[in-house]
Every structure is written in C-alpha cells, then in structure tokens.
Amino acid sequence: MATQIFQTPNLLIICIYILYVSHFITSFSPPDQYLINCGSSSPTTQHSDHRSFTGDSSEKGSHFLSAGKTILVSTSSPDHNLSPIYQSSRIFLRHSRYVFDVQKKGAFLIRLHFGVLNLKGFDGVSVKFHVLVNGYVLLYDFSGGNVENFLVKDYVVRVDDDEVVVSFVPAKRRSVAYVSGIEVISAPEDLIGDVGTFVSSEGVKEVKGLMKNGFENVYRVNVGGSKVTPFNDSLWRTWVTDDEFLKVKGESTKVHFGGRIKYRMGGASREVGPDNVYNTARVIASESDSVSRSNITLVFSVIGGYKYLVRMHFCDIASISIGMLYFNVYVNGKLAYENLDLSLITNYMLASPFYADFVVDGDSSGVITVSVGPSNMSMPHAIDAILNGVEIMKINNSFGSLDGLVSAKSIMKCRSSTDISVWASVVAAMILFLVAPMVVQKRRNAVKKTVAWSPLPVDEVNLKNDHQINVT
C-alpha cells in the first residue's frame, strides 16, 4: 500500500511534466513551414532540434526549385558531429530560385544554412553571389563568409504575395552561388511590433511602421545564462552567452530562477523569448544602505549606414516583492527609458516577461552599447537593475537591402543584361557557324563564274603578248 501511495504522486508529476513539455513544443504551429535540405535526395534530421528537412532532389522537394544548370556536392567523409544538412549543398551556375506557396501573408522567418564548400576541380571558379527574397536583398557579393563548419543567416521579412521566392544570383561570370539548407516559416504575429522608440542625441521619440521592414538578426544574447539551442526555443533560435559582449564582468551578479515564468496577454510570449532566457539574468544589487552606482553594459560591433532594432528583454526574477525595482535603460549612452518599473508594466506580477524595442542609427563608431543601471528611484538593500536578454537586428535601408546600397531590381536588371549579352554572343556564334560555309561557297562559285565567262581587257592581252615576246 505504501508503494502505491509513493508511485501515484510520481505518476502525477510525470503526467504534468509531459503536458507541460507538450504545451511548450506545440504552442506555436506556423501555417506555413518549409524546411529544405539542398543538394540531397533524401530527408535529413537536424541534430540541434530534431526537425526533418526535405531533400530538394526528392520528388517532393524538386517542385520548389526552378533552376538553370546546378551541381550537387556532398562531403566525401561525413562528419558525424555535424548536422547532415551541412554535408551537402547545391551549386548554382545561373540565376535560380526556390518558390514556396504560402497560405497566410505577413512576416516570415527566412534562414539560410551554408556548409563548407570545396571547389576543388572547379578551376578559375569563385564563390560570389546575391540572395534576394521578394524584393529584399539579403546578401550581396556574398562569398560564404568565414565558414569553418557551418554558417546560419537569420532574417525576418514581410511578404505580401502568395508565394515566397528565394533567388540565388551568381555575381559575375565564372562565379557560382550555393546553399546547404533553407527555412521558410510563418512568423508569429507578435514577433515584430509596429512601434518602437528612436534613440538619438536629440532625445527619444516614437517611431511606427517597423512591421513593413525586413530584419537581419545580428546578435541574440542570453544575458546571465547559458547558451540556448534551437531545441529549447519554440522558434528554433540560438541564443549565445554574454561573455563576449559584457564590458565589465565584476559589477553584476548572475541569477537563476527555478519557478514558472508567467507569460501573459499583452506581454512577451514564448515566441518572443523562451523560458531559458527569462529565467536567468544579470542584476545590480545594493547590499548596503547606499544604492550602487554600477551599470550592466554590453557592447556590440555593427556595420554603419543602417538603422538597428535593439530589443531588450526583462523579467523580474530576483526581487523579493513587487514595487521594489526601478532602473534606467541606456542605448548608446543615451537615456532611453527612465525609472523603468516592471511591476507596473506587468500588472504587478513577478517573473512576468516584458521587452522594449529601441531603434538607433549605426554610426561611424561601429558599435552599439546597451546598459541598465540604478535610477533616482532605486532602493538600498534591493535589486537596482536587471537584464535578461538582448537582440540586435539590422533594418533594411531605403533600397530594401540588408547588405549594400543596391536594390533587388538593379541586381536583376544587371543580371538580365549579362544574360542577354551572353545569349547574344552564343546566338551570333551559332549564326556565324551556320552561315560562314554558305558565304564561302557562294564566293567560290562567283570566282568560277568570273573566270569562265568574263572577256579579258585588250591591254591585259597585249601585256601578256608583249611579255611572252620579250621572254622569247
């Protein structure tokens, strides 16, 4: 009997855990989702999150591809520690594209996976290409980057058409494009809000229309916590640790929360940030009668000439009571949010997540800094600042580009001109090959006709006669 009493609670705990995990896994079900393993004829499973990718050479996957001449390549000695999608690639010799029909228009997650490409045997051929998606330029003159094992480029773009078109365009003659894997996934409606706060030397102001833009994820950082893998994120994202970006490590303390994160309507959802981001943080804590003057500051290198969306994640998992945490938020050294009161924002709930979106110019300094620190309302013997996560996203420029001062139309126009000139050369060569023998034969016939029927001039005859006489 005692054994039965002991087993029942354990069984109940297991059932609750299964229901919780099932809810976590199935909480987001995108209406459109395409996972493509390029250069492969069979489905493969991604190691990091156990999702299945369809081979683009299979009967099902080949319907998405509209391509000129392509080459399939794969590693001769597979690395079992590397996900299978990075061990095969499709090389494009000409402009090619993947077309995906969509049920619902709106924001889409676009992920491009690149493995290591070996061009041994392709003499004089280089990797340089552009990637376009529905009018956005995602990559321009891309050469594969510093790919040691694999590279993932992560985007969010708005699509108002009935299909998502991912185009690969070789940049010049004797250059090729390639890709190892493609993800096209409907984004949750709350992933990108339409309103943010623009922060500059002139102050702060509200900006609208963010949802109309395209974004490239540049950094995604779990502040105070460990690396979050795609398996533990409902949008299959990777969050790295803050070690590389933290300016001063000794001024803050890491905290971890073992309770339940309280997601609520109107606040951050699991798709905005997973549990593993919100249940860890860095904090500034005052342990004496005076408030600390320290800040938590992270520094990020960026490319100038673009605007950036800076998303900061907050969740009060450290205070012992509501109404005790007040702090300031700074972006690029400018006060972006004064006396942030998480209790008020979260309807007086602890462990309830919130995020704030700021927009800044990427200037010539090449860096973006984010900081949190005590405010004039901070209290002694309390938590005086907290930060759970940071995301930095590049916003497309006026050309609709996330990589260079060039538009998708200009790329395709230039490519069309190149294609026309190439085809014109080919056609001209074919015409010359076919017509040249006819011209030569016609000239030969004309020469024969002239010798047989044209009378010689008298002076030429006389000249010959004189010459003959002189010789004699």
Side-chain angles (χ1 to χ4, degrees), residues 319-338:
S319 296
I320 60 174
S321 177
I322 59 173
M324 296 183 66
L325 175 59
Y326 303 89
F327 59 98
N328 290 338
V329 178
Y330 305 88
V331 179
N332 285 345
K334 311 296 189 300
L335 182 60
Y337 206 127
E338 186 176 16

Side-chain angles (χ1 to χ4, degrees), residues 198-246:
F198 182 68
V199 182
S200 69
S201 57
E202 298 178 358
V204 298
K205 65 178 181 180
E206 184 181 88
V207 291
K208 297 181 179 180
L210 292 178
M211 293 174 62
K212 298 177 181 178
N213 294 281
F215 302 85
E216 177 187 358
N217 177 264
V218 185
Y219 299 102
R220 189 178 287 123
V221 181
N222 184 20
V223 179
S226 57
K227 180 179 179 179
V228 179
T229 64
F231 181 75
N232 294 312
D233 185 295
S234 59
L235 292 185
W236 309 282
R237 297 165 294 194
T238 297
W239 301 70
V240 300
T241 63
D242 62 13
D243 300 326
E244 179 184 348
F245 313 103
L246 196 63

Side-chain angles (χ1 to χ4, degrees), residues 84-101:
I85 69 167
Y86 298 114
Q87 303 191 41
S88 67
S89 299
R90 184 177 290 273
I91 298 177
F92 306 99
L93 306 184
R94 296 175 184 168
H95 169 219
S96 304
R97 61 182 191 164
Y98 291 84
V99 180
F100 305 98
D101 294 330

Side-chain angles (χ1 to χ4, degrees), residues 342-362:
L342 290 181
S343 294
L344 179 63
I345 290 174
T346 60
N347 199 24
Y348 298 96
M349 294 173 62
L350 293 177
S352 183
F354 162 76
Y355 71 91
D357 283 344
F358 304 100
V359 178
V360 296
D361 286 318

Side-chain angles (χ1 to χ4, degrees), residues 173-300:
R173 293 185 184 182
R174 300 198 65 78
S175 68
V176 298
Y178 86 102
V179 68
S180 301
I182 300 174
E183 297 181 48
V184 176
I185 305 171
S186 300
E189 293 183 358
D190 63 342
L191 183 64
I192 300 292
D194 198 48
V195 180
T197 301
F198 182 68
V199 182
S200 69
S201 57
E202 298 178 358
V204 298
K205 65 178 181 180
E206 184 181 88
V207 291
K208 297 181 179 180
L210 292 178
M211 293 174 62
K212 298 177 181 178
N213 294 281
F215 302 85
E216 177 187 358
N217 177 264
V218 185
Y219 299 102
R220 189 178 287 123
V221 181
N222 184 20
V223 179
S226 57
K227 180 179 179 179
V228 179
T229 64
F231 181 75
N232 294 312
D233 185 295
S234 59
L235 292 185
W236 309 282
R237 297 165 294 194
T238 297
W239 301 70
V240 300
T241 63
D242 62 13
D243 300 326
E244 179 184 348
F245 313 103
L246 196 63
K247 187 174 182 180
V248 180
K249 295 183 179 180
E251 294 185 347
S252 61
T253 304
K254 291 182 179 181
V255 294
H256 179 270
F257 178 65
R260 181 175 64 88
I261 300 299
K262 302 168 187 174
Y263 295 95
R264 58 188 175 79
M265 293 294 293
S269 66
R270 273 194 177 88
E271 284 65 58
V272 170
D275 288 37
N276 287 349
V277 169
Y278 289 125
N279 63 21
T280 59
R282 282 189 181 272
V283 300
I284 299 291
S286 297
E287 298 179 353
S288 63
D289 293 335
S290 60
V291 174
S292 173
R293 294 184 178 181
S294 300
N295 284 346
I296 303 170
T297 300
L298 286 83
V299 182
F300 302 93

Side-chain angles (χ1 to χ4, degrees), residues 133-138 214 396-404 406-408:
V133 174
N134 289 65
Y136 293 96
V137 179
L138 304 191
N396 67 259
N397 57 25
S398 59
F399 293 90
S401 175
L402 288 157
D403 191 12
V406 61
S407 68

Side-chain angles (χ1 to χ4, degrees), residues 95-166:
H95 169 219
S96 304
R97 61 182 191 164
Y98 291 84
V99 180
F100 305 98
D101 294 330
V102 297
Q103 302 177 41
K104 186 177 181 181
K105 302 174 183 179
F108 278 81
L109 303 172
I110 308 291
R111 292 195 185 104
L112 305 175
H113 299 262
F114 300 97
V116 178
L117 184 63
N118 185 358
L119 287 179
K120 187 177 181 180
F122 293 83
D123 294 337
V125 175
S126 63
V127 175
K128 183 171 283 191
F129 60 98
H130 322 305
V131 180
L132 317 176
V133 174
N134 289 65
Y136 293 96
V137 179
L138 304 191
L139 293 169
Y140 180 71
D141 277 354
F142 183 64
S143 59
N146 297 319
V147 181
E148 295 182 0
N149 291 313
F150 65 90
L151 175 69
V152 182
K153 303 292 285 185
D154 198 343
Y155 305 90
V156 179
V157 300
R158 182 167 184 83
V159 175
D160 293 318
D161 303 314
D162 295 325
E163 56 189 21
V164 175
V165 181
V166 184

